[in-house]
Amino acid sequence: MTPTVVDLFASALHFHPDGEVRAAGRQMAGGAPGIWHLGAFHVETDADVHADHWEMHPEADEAVCCLTGGARLHLRPADGDGRGAGGGADEMVPLPAGSAVVVPRGRWHRLELDGPSDLMSLTLRHGTRLEKRTDTP
């Protein structure tokens, strides 16, 4: 097989259970079962990271990486099973350039930017849910 250069800001990498890696279209939700999705994003504003929505991945943890710039990851308060439906204040995790955080499977989360940034995420997108925030100003 001939090596192929992939522009991660235009495509994503899909990691298949059989060990194959393929370039594919980027997607925020959906995806085939068992396919890990690696995507990189250049983002300028909170709208670029759908800060007005909560996101949840029911089938796997998600690695959220800040390559350049800075962001803040917000997690919904955990309930008894740690899945983020409980009451109370959001938990905020700062993500400076060169850092990453692992969001537990099933935990509702969202991002806000400190400024223009390059972000990367890795998760199973199958079953991903988005929910419009009700607390936006």
Side-chain angles (χ1 to χ4, degrees):
M1 180 171 149
T2 303
T4 303
V5 175
V6 177
D7 178 353
L8 288 178
F9 292 108
S11 299
L13 293 178
H14 287 184
F15 294 79
H16 294 257
D18 64 2
E20 185 176 7
V21 179
R22 291 185 220 146
R26 294 178 359 170
Q27 55 196 67
M28 293 308 295
I35 307 295
W36 286 84
H37 182 99
L38 175 74
F41 311 90
H42 178 75
V43 289
E44 298 277 335
T45 69
D46 284 343
D48 295 335
V49 293
H50 60 79
D52 61 339
H53 282 76
W54 290 100
E55 178 181 68
M56 187 269 289
H57 310 286
E59 295 190 9
D61 296 344
E62 179 181 25
V64 178
C65 311
C66 181
L67 305 176
T68 66
R72 288 160 277 128
L73 180 92
H74 294 267
L75 298 157
R76 272 193 189 164
D79 57 13
D81 68 1
R83 302 223 178 231
D90 298 351
E91 179 182 350
M92 190 274 293
V93 179
L95 281 170
S99 68
V101 64
V102 176
V103 178
R105 165 193 327 232
R107 187 78 185 263
W108 288 95
H109 59 283
R110 64 184 178 83
L111 284 168
E112 291 179 339
L113 299 178
D114 295 335
S117 303
D118 291 322
L119 306 175
M120 184 168 50
S121 68
L122 174 65
T123 193
L124 289 170
R125 295 248 176 240
H126 185 259
T128 291
R129 293 175 44 199
L130 294 174
E131 182 179 284
K132 182 85 171 159
R133 285 178 60 197
T134 58
D135 63 340
T136 54

